[in-house]
Amino acid sequence: MKTLDRKLLRDLWKMKGQAVAIALVIASGVATYVLLISTMNSLTQTRDRFYQEYAFADAFASLKRAPDGLKSRISEIPGVAQVETRVSAEVKLQVAGFYEPVTARIVSVPDFGSPVLNRPYLRRGRMVAAWRDDEAVVSEAFAEAHRLRPGDSLDAVINGRWKRLRVVGIALSPEFVLQVRPGALSPDYKRYAILWMGRHSLGVANNMDGAFNDLSLTLTAGAHPDDVITRIDAILAKYGGLGAYARKDQMSHRFLTEEFRQLQRSADIFPTIFIAVAAFLLNVVVTRTISTQRDQIAVIKAFGYRNTDIGLHYVKLVALIVVLGIVAGLGVGAWLGRGLGRIYTEFYRFPYLNYQVQPSVAAAAAAINLLAALTGTLLAVRRAASLPPAEAMRPEPPADFRKTFMERLVPQRILSQPTRIIMRNIERRPVKALLSIIGISMACAIMVAGRFSKDAIDYMVEIQFRRIQREDMTVTFVEPTSRKAVYEMRRVPGVEHAEVFRSVPVVMRFGHRSYRTSIRGVEPGASLHLLLDEQFRHITPPRGGILLTDYFRTILGVRPGDLLTVEVLEGSRPVLQVPVSGMISQFIGLMGYMDLDALNRLMKEGSAVSGVYLSADSLHRHEIYRKLVQMPRVAGTLVREDEIRNFYETQAEALLFFTMVATVLAATIAFGVVYNSARIALSERGRELASLRVLGYTRGEISYIFMGELGFLTLAAIPMGFLIGKGISSNIAKALESDLYRIPVVIDSWTYSFAAAVVVLSAFVSGLIVRRRLDHLDLVAVLKTRE
Amino acid sequence: MGREAGGALSARTVFQARGLTKVYTMGAVQVHALRGIDLDLYEGELVVLLGPSGSGKSTLLNILGGLDTATDGEVTYRDHNLTSAADNELTEYRRQHVGFVFQFYNLIPSLTARENVAVVTEIASTPMKPEDALSMVGLGDRLDHFPAQLSGGEQQRVAIARAIAKNPMVLLCDEPTGALDSATGVVVLEALERVNRELGTTTVIITHNADIAGMADRVIHLSNGLISDIRTNESKKAPHELHW
C-alpha cells in the first residue's frame, strides 16, 4: 500500500465519527432509492410476467346482454386479435360465521378448456367441472380472510335465488391483482370476493344462456385502442353497452399504475434530498480537513507531489466515505425492500413476487451518489490541489469578524459576551449557516412528508365518511326500482331513516374530452348523504343543472355555467345537454350529482331509484343484514363503519412502515448535520474555547457558546423544515392526483410537533456526544497546537 | 549588488540568481521581500543564509526550491530556468532535485517516521531506503514511532531523513534548529553536516542564529531584501563546537 493511502486510512479513522455520520446519510439515500426502485421494478416485472403468462386482456367492455353470435362481429373489427365473451354477475354471499354483508363478482370460465384471456392462476384445488352449477373457485385474498379451503361451502344469492356453492379451488387473476370493489378506495378482502363459475351454469342462473354480458379482447400489434373501442361501443350500443375501456383504465391495473407512480415520485424526491445533504456535509468536512492539513499538503507538494496526486488523495477520502455509505445503503435497502415487498403482496395479489435488487439499480445508486459527492467536494479538493506550497506553509489568515446585524439591532448591554460570539460566528459565514439550517430542515421536512399521507388519509376519511356520507349503510338494487321500495326498507326493524338515490352510468363530454362515470340523483331534503361545495359548505343540486366533482375542471376543462353533454348508457340511452351549476369537493372518484326528480325526468323513466341510504340502530345491525340478504331486489350492502375500519386496516401496515422509515431517515439527517457542524465547530474553535476556559470560563459557559450556535441553527431549521415538508407533500399530492383520488394537503399539528421533536432530540443527542469532547478539552495541549 | 564568491571550492554553479525581486501584496500594502538579488551557489557547498526576521531569507529559499516564483529577475538551477517554469515543471524539479527541511518539521502526524520518509522515496527516481535515511540521522531504532511519540529534535531529524532520502542535489533548510534547544539543535546540525559531507549535497541553511554560521563553507548575510555580505569560512567548525 502506498504511504499516502496509509495516511488516508489513518485520517479517516481519526474522523470516523464524522465519516460514519456522513456515510449514514448516504446510506439512507441509497437505501431509500434501492427500496423504492427495486420494489417498483420487482413489482413491475412480476406484473408483466403474470399479465403475459395468464393472458391479461388489452380491452374490456360490459353490457346488458348480447347473443353469443355477436362475438364474431367483434372479432372482425380491425386491430382485434382475440376475443372472449363471459357472463359476469354481482352477487351477495353469506359465509358461515361472518354476519356482515359480503358481495362478490362472479366471472364465468368456459366449461371445457381454460379461458383464452384473463386466465386464473390456480393456487389450490382445481377449476370447476363442466356443467356443475354448485362449484366455484374463490379468489385467494377472500379465501385467506375467511380461512376457506377447497371443500368448504358458501351461500350465494345469484339473480335472486339462493345457491350453495362448494369451493373447489383457490385462484388469482391478472384481472384482480388489486381486488377492489368498484367505487371503493381500498381492497376489502373480507367483504368483497371474486368467484369463478362454469359458463353454462352461471349463464342459466342469470338468463344468459347463449348470451354474454362481459367482453375482453387483445389487440394486434400496432392497433390503436381508441379506434377499436369506438367501434366496439358502436356495436354494443344496441345491447346496453356500458362503454368499452382499454387496459389502462382497468381498475386493478390503474391502482397498480398509480402505486408505481407514487413509488417513482418518492424515489425522485427523497434520495435527492439525502444526496444533496450528503454532498453538503462532505463539502464542509472535506473543506475543514483540507484546511487543517494545509501544512501537510504544502510539505507533500514541496517534495514534488503533483497537484493531481493531492487531488486524488482527497478524492479517495471522499470516495471511501461514499462507498461505505453505498455498501451499507444497498444492504439496508434490499432488506427494507423485502419488507415492503411483503407488505405489497398482501395488498396486490400476485402468484409470486421475485424481489431482487437489480445490479443496474445498485450501480445507478452508487454512481449517482459518487458523482454528487465528488461534485460537492470538487471545489474544496481543487483548492487543496492548487494551493501554492509556499502559501500553504503559512497558517490561514485569521477569520474576518465584524459586529453583526443583530448586535446593531439589540442594545449592547442585553447581549452577553458569549452570545455575541455565537452571533458573530453565525453571521460571519452566513452561507454555511444557511446551508446547515437547510440541511437540518431537510430532516424535519422528511418527517413531515413521511407522515403526511396518514394525515391526508385521516382528513379524507373525516370529510368523506363523516361529513359527506352520514348513512350507516348503502343498499343498491339489482336494477332501477320504483321509489316505493323505500317503504319496504323502512319496515325493516331497526331502520331509522331511509333516503333514495338514482345512479345512472354515463359518458360525459365537453369539447373533445370525455369521461365515463355515473350521475347520482339525490333527494332535495336529503340528510344522510350530503354534498359539500368547494368551501365545504352544504349544497343541494338545483333542479335544472348538474353538480360536478371539482376535479372535472382538470379532466374535462369544464366550469360552472358550461353546457355538458351527457350520454346515458342505460335504458333508452338519451344524449342530453346539462348546464353545470356548480362544483363539489370530493376526494375519491369523479361523479355528477343532480336532483332526483330532474334526473328521472331526463331519463323519461318515472320515479326510478337505484338504491337507498339507511341510518339504523346499531343494536339491530345483524338482523338488518340478514333481512337485506334475503331481499331479492337488493344487490349489495355497504356498511360505512366497515369501510372505514377496513380502509385503516389495509393501510395500517404500510403507513407504519413508512412512518418508521421516515423517522429513522430524518433522525439520520439531523444527526449527520448537527454532529458534523459540532465537530467542525470544535475543531475550528477548540483553541478559542480552551482559551476562554483558561481565562476562567466554566464548562457550562463554553458549552453555551458551543451548543448555543447549534441550538440556534436547529431552531431556525424547524419552521423552514415545516415549509419544505409541506412543499414536498403538496408536490407528491399534486403529482398523484387523478380521477381515482385526490390527496388533500393537510398536515396535522401533531405531525409537526413529532417532526420537530425528532429533529430537536437528534440534534441534542449529537450535541451531547460532542460536548463530551468539549468537557475533556486538554487546555495546555490545545493552546500549544499551531492553528 | 553582492559580490561574486570566489573560491577555494571547485566551482560548478548549481544556482544562479540575477536581479531577483519578490513583492507580496497583502491587502493594500506592498511588501518588498527581495529587492534584486544576485547570487551563485556551488556544488557540494554548505551555505548559511543569515539574517533577521523579515530580511527575505525564507522567500529566497522558497524561490530556490521552486515553492514560490519571483516577481522579477531570473534564477536558474543548472540548466533549468526556474523563473519561467510552469507549475508542473516546478513540481517535477522539486520531485527530482530538492530536499526541504522546515522549522516546524512539518511531519505528517498520521504517518510513522519510516512512512514519513517513504512518502518521498515512493515518488523519487533513485531514492535510498527509508531505513537507511533514518539511520543516517541516528534514528534507525525509531522507525515505527509516530511524530507525537518523538521529541522535537527527533522529529527534525526525521524531517532531514525525509529530505535526503531521495538523494537530492540540493538540501534547503529553513530554520532547522529554530524550534529546538541548543543541545538538540547540535544533533540536528550534525546530521545535516554529515549528509553534506558524505553525499556531497549542496546544502543551504537559513537561520537568524549567527553561531551556526561557523559550520558553513560560505555565509551569506541578508537584510531588508538585499545581500549585505558574503563571507567564506577559512576554517569550518564542527557542529559540536558550536554553542548558543
Side-chain angles (χ1 to χ4, degrees):
Chain A
M1 191 191 286
K2 290 254 200 72
T3 313
L4 270 190
D5 294 337
R6 219 168 287 167
K7 163 184 178 307
L8 189 77
L9 290 182
R10 294 199 187 125
D11 287 348
L12 197 61
W13 182 248
K14 214 179 140 211
M15 56 190 273
K16 55 185 176 298
Q18 285 163 280
V20 166
I22 297 173
L24 276 177
V25 175
I26 294 169
S28 303
V30 173
T32 321
Y33 183 80
V34 167
L35 163 71
L36 296 171
I37 296 287
S38 69
T39 304
M40 191 177 75
N41 287 353
S42 303
L43 284 172
T44 310
Q45 281 172 11
T46 306
R47 181 196 71 179
D48 292 347
R49 197 178 134 198
F50 189 33
Y51 279 4
Q52 211 212 327
E53 288 175 354
Y54 289 85
F56 186 43
D58 292 327
F60 305 82
S62 308
L63 53 145
K64 205 163 166 60
R65 188 178 197 280
D68 279 343
L70 197 67
K71 180 181 172 183
S72 57
R73 260 185 75 192
I74 290 165
S75 307
E76 285 161 10
I77 296 173
V80 171
Q82 287 169 301
V83 181
E84 183 155 65
T85 61
R86 298 187 295 192
V87 175
S88 167
E90 192 86 9
V91 303
K92 287 178 284 187
L93 284 188
Q94 211 163 41
V95 185
F98 189 71
Y99 301 105
E100 292 165 26
V102 179
T103 51
R105 163 140 312 262
I106 305 191
V107 181
S108 70
V109 288
D111 287 290
F112 298 101
S114 55
V116 181
L117 301 174
N118 307 314
R119 279 195 290 275
Y121 169 96
L122 199 62
R123 179 79 89 190
R124 251 193 301 281
R126 58 169 172 86
M127 289 307 289
V128 288
W131 310 101
R132 293 295 297 255
D133 65 350
D134 59 350
E135 290 185 356
V137 170
V138 177
S139 57
E140 186 189 55
F142 183 75
E144 275 176 9
H146 291 283
R147 299 169 187 280
L148 291 173
R149 297 215 182 95
D152 292 345
S153 296
L154 284 171
D155 289 319
V157 184
I158 304 174
N159 199 19
R161 279 187 295 275
W162 283 98
K163 183 82 204 164
R164 172 148 292 198
L165 297 174
R166 202 156 61 84
V167 176
V168 295
I170 311 282
L172 297 152
S173 163
E175 214 180 343
F176 305 104
V177 170
L178 188 76
Q179 196 179 298
V180 60
R181 183 194 354 239
L185 186 61
S186 62
D188 187 339
Y189 301 135
K190 275 210 164 86
R191 298 172 196 87
Y192 186 66
I194 306 294
L195 265 56
W196 288 271
M197 278 181 73
R199 168 77 182 262
H200 176 75
S201 310
L202 191 62
V204 168
N206 285 285
N207 307 323
M208 292 276 169
D209 201 13
F212 65 92
N213 65 357
D214 182 279
L215 181 76
S216 40
L217 51 95
T218 52
L219 302 173
T220 54
H224 211 287
D226 289 346
D227 297 343
V228 175
I229 282 167
T230 311
R231 283 161 182 265
I232 292 175
D233 281 342
I235 294 174
L236 293 185
K238 261 209 311 219
Y239 303 93
L242 290 171
Y245 52 94
R247 180 192 277 189
K248 69 175 172 49
D249 292 318
Q250 200 263 353
M251 211 28 115
S252 159
H253 182 79
R254 278 274 334 247
F255 270 94
L256 261 178
T257 309
E258 291 300 318
E259 189 71 47
F260 293 165
R261 276 213 307 150
Q262 183 161 4
L263 284 172
Q264 180 68 57
R265 192 69 181 184
S266 306
D268 289 342
I269 294 176
F270 291 102
T272 312
I273 293 177
F274 286 101
I275 289 171
V277 171
F280 160 66
L281 290 181
L282 277 169
N283 174 286
V284 172
V285 168
V286 169
T287 304
R288 179 61 195 162
T289 306
I290 285 171
S291 103
T292 56
Q293 296 190 350
R294 268 169 79 93
D295 54 339
Q296 297 183 29
I297 296 170
V299 170
I300 294 171
K301 290 188 80 169
F303 283 107
Y305 276 86
R306 301 188 182 94
N307 291 352
T308 47
D309 300 329
I310 308 286
L312 202 63
H313 181 67
Y314 289 101
V315 164
K316 279 188 197 164
L317 182 75
V318 172
L320 267 179
I321 297 175
V322 175
V323 166
L324 196 72
I326 290 172
V327 170
L330 288 179
V332 173
W335 178 68
L336 285 177
R338 225 165 273 280
L340 187 60
R342 198 180 45 75
I343 290 174
Y344 272 121
T345 47
E346 282 291 301
F347 217 76
Y348 299 106
R349 293 297 175 140
F350 291 109
Y352 38 74
L353 177 69
N354 299 331
Y355 178 78
Q356 52 168 339
V357 179
Q358 298 79 3
S360 61
V361 174
I368 294 169
N369 274 279
L370 259 178
L371 206 69
L374 292 177
T375 313
T377 47
L378 187 71
L379 274 182
V381 171
R382 262 188 70 140
R383 217 179 307 127
S386 58
L387 210 56
E391 188 188 319
M393 212 80 75
R394 288 189 285 275
E396 271 189 273
D400 183 20
F401 281 93
R402 59 194 59 173
K403 287 199 173 180
T404 62
F405 176 67
M406 279 291 289
E407 282 174 87
R408 272 174 264 138
L409 285 185
V410 184
Q412 289 287 311
R413 62 199 153 71
I414 296 180
L415 299 172
S416 68
Q417 226 35 264
T419 306
R420 277 179 224 176
I421 296 177
I422 292 175
M423 286 178 5
R424 285 179 197 170
N425 263 306
I426 291 168
E427 280 211 21
R428 182 167 71 86
R429 294 214 212 128
V431 174
K432 191 175 149 194
L434 186 69
L435 286 175
S436 298
I437 290 173
I438 292 175
I440 299 169
S441 72
M442 285 302 172
C444 193
I446 284 178
M447 276 309 296
V448 171
R451 287 187 51 90
F452 141 73
S453 58
K454 185 190 175 315
D455 293 347
I457 284 173
D458 284 345
Y459 185 75
M460 283 163 92
V461 166
E462 169 65 26
I463 296 291
Q464 186 69 34
F465 290 120
R466 310 233 186 262
R467 292 190 54 192
I468 296 178
Q469 291 177 237
R470 299 177 172 199
E471 74 278 3
D472 293 321
M473 294 169 221
T474 307
V475 176
T476 47
F477 297 138
V478 176
E479 50 188 11
T481 308
S482 154
R483 201 176 288 201
K484 287 177 193 131
V486 74
Y487 301 119
E488 188 186 359
M489 290 295 159
R490 285 191 182 136
R491 280 201 298 274
V492 174
V495 170
E496 288 168 349
H497 187 58
E499 286 172 5
V500 292
F501 65 87
R502 174 78 172 99
S503 189
V504 178
V506 298
V507 173
M508 293 183 182
R509 289 189 197 282
F510 187 72
H512 61 282
R513 291 188 265 188
S514 66
Y515 188 77
R516 205 166 54 91
T517 175
S518 62
I519 293 178
R520 192 160 277 206
V522 293
E523 291 181 295
S527 62
L528 288 182
H529 199 90
L530 302 179
L531 300 178
L532 302 177
D533 69 8
E534 290 175 283
Q535 278 74 47
F536 296 102
R537 288 175 310 216
H538 187 190
I539 184 174
T540 41
R543 296 188 74 89
I546 188 168
L547 293 178
L548 294 179
T549 309
D550 45 9
Y551 194 64
F552 270 119
R553 280 183 205 278
T554 311
I555 218 141
L556 290 183
V558 68
R559 262 159 200 70
D562 289 336
L563 210 56
L564 186 72
T565 305
V566 175
E567 293 175 22
V568 178
L569 301 175
E570 202 182 271
S572 60
R573 298 174 81 92
V575 177
L576 311 163
Q577 302 287 322
V578 186
V580 176
S581 51
M583 309 305 263
I584 55 158
S585 292
Q586 190 179 332
F587 299 123
I588 302 157
L590 286 185
M591 274 207 322
Y593 288 88
M594 290 179 75
D595 178 82
L596 179 57
D597 289 333
L599 183 60
N600 282 157
R601 245 193 334 275
L602 285 175
M603 295 286 294
K604 300 186 174 72
E605 63 182 4
S607 66
V609 297
S610 309
V612 188
Y613 299 122
L614 297 179
S615 71
D617 185 338
S618 60
L619 286 175
H620 291 83
R621 275 172 59 165
H622 288 167
E623 256 178 271
I624 298 172
Y625 298 156
R626 216 172 18 248
K627 269 267 187 303
L628 290 174
V629 169
Q630 285 160 2
M631 291 181 182
R633 71 165 97 242
V634 169
T637 306
L638 271 179
V639 180
R640 186 183 59 150
E641 285 307 320
D642 293 346
E643 273 192 281
I644 300 175
R645 191 151 25 87
N646 170 66
F647 185 55
Y648 276 114
E649 277 171 10
T650 48
Q651 304 286 333
E653 206 184 353
L655 277 177
L656 190 70
F657 179 84
F658 280 115
T659 302
M660 185 195 78
V661 171
T663 308
V664 172
L665 297 183
T668 310
I669 284 206
F671 175 79
V673 177
V674 175
Y675 179 77
N676 269 303
S677 308
R679 282 301 301 271
I680 283 164
L682 184 66
S683 117
E684 283 176 347
R685 291 161 49 208
R687 255 169 81 85
E688 173 189 328
L689 296 174
S691 311
L692 288 173
R693 292 267 291 120
V694 171
L695 293 177
Y697 275 75
T698 63
R699 288 206 171 113
E701 282 161 339
I702 62 164
S703 292
Y704 166 68
I705 298 179
F706 185 66
M707 307 275 279
E709 187 180 329
L710 297 173
F712 174 85
L713 296 179
T714 305
L715 292 182
I718 286 171
M720 188 188 270
F722 289 167
L723 281 179
I724 299 174
K726 184 151 189 179
I728 296 173
S729 303
S730 44
N731 180 297
I732 293 176
K734 189 84 198 151
L736 296 183
E737 71 176 21
S738 72
D739 53 326
L740 284 185
Y741 50 82
R742 276 77 54 199
I743 303 167
V745 185
V746 179
I747 295 165
D748 199 57
S749 58
W750 199 83
T751 294
Y752 282 133
S753 320
F754 185 60
V758 167
V759 171
V760 168
L761 195 71
S762 314
F764 186 70
V765 169
S766 42
L768 277 189
I769 294 175
V770 179
R771 203 201 128 142
R772 275 185 37 214
R773 291 173 170 269
L774 198 62
D775 287 345
H776 298 110
L777 220 49
D778 181 345
L779 300 187
V780 181
V782 166
L783 289 181
K784 267 210 250 168
T785 53
R786 217 159 53 90
E787 189 61 19
Chain B
M1 250 308 172
R3 287 169 292 172
E4 282 300 289
L9 292 153
S10 66
R12 276 191 64 193
T13 309
V14 179
F15 285 107
Q16 191 173 64
R18 294 291 178 267
L20 212 54
T21 305
K22 179 73 184 179
V23 183
Y24 293 110
T25 307
M26 299 188 88
V29 218
Q30 289 213 323
V31 179
H32 291 259
L34 299 177
R35 300 168 181 267
I37 281 185
D38 297 334
L39 178 69
D40 292 276
L41 296 175
Y42 306 107
E43 198 170 287
E45 71 172 339
L46 194 155
V47 174
V48 167
L49 267 179
L50 212 53
S53 303
S55 58
K57 319 182 285 291
S58 292
T59 305
L60 178 58
L61 194 81
N62 286 343
I63 292 174
L64 292 179
L67 288 180
D68 209 346
T69 49
T71 314
D72 199 8
E74 196 179 79
V75 59
T76 54
Y77 165 79
R78 297 182 185 272
D79 50 354
H80 300 283
N81 187 334
L82 298 184
T83 345
S84 60
D87 182 60
N88 58 340
E89 291 170 312
L90 287 180
T91 303
E92 209 49 37
Y93 158 66
R94 294 197 299 270
R95 196 179 183 116
Q96 300 304 334
H97 305 287
V98 191
F100 284 103
V101 177
F102 305 103
Q103 177 176 6
F104 294 106
Y105 336 131
N106 291 69
L107 297 181
I108 293 167
S110 53
L111 297 180
T112 60
R114 191 208 311 258
E115 290 163 349
N116 261 292
V117 178
V119 158
V120 172
T121 56
E122 280 172 6
I123 58 164
S125 46
T126 54
M128 51 176 101
K129 285 167 67 178
E131 295 79 5
D132 295 344
L134 284 162
S135 295
M136 261 194 95
V137 295
L139 286 175
D141 55 344
R142 317 223 70 180
L143 298 174
D144 294 317
H145 288 60
F146 282 93
Q149 300 165 319
L150 297 170
S151 71
E154 286 171 327
Q155 290 184 51
Q156 192 59 299
R157 282 186 282 150
V158 174
I160 294 170
R162 179 175 64 178
I164 60 167
K166 68 163 78 157
N167 281 314
M169 298 305 297
V170 289
L171 189 56
L172 304 176
C173 315
D174 191 349
E175 297 275 11
T177 59
L180 303 172
D181 62 73
S182 130
T184 318
V186 167
V187 177
V188 168
L189 291 176
E190 276 176 335
L192 287 174
E193 192 268 344
R194 186 173 167 204
V195 169
N196 175 254
R197 179 162 40 82
E198 293 183 4
L199 304 177
T201 315
T202 306
T203 307
V204 181
I205 300 174
I206 281 187
T207 180
H208 61 269
N209 183 345
D211 295 309
I212 292 175
M215 65 182 281
D217 294 311
R218 285 198 300 155
V219 183
I220 301 172
H221 284 264
L222 250 78
S223 66
N224 206 15
L226 291 169
I227 292 177
S228 57
D229 179 45
I230 295 179
R231 176 169 56 80
T232 304
N233 264 343
E234 296 307 332
S235 58
K236 278 166 69 174
K237 286 183 183 166
H240 68 262
E241 297 172 275
L242 304 174
H243 297 285
W244 66 86

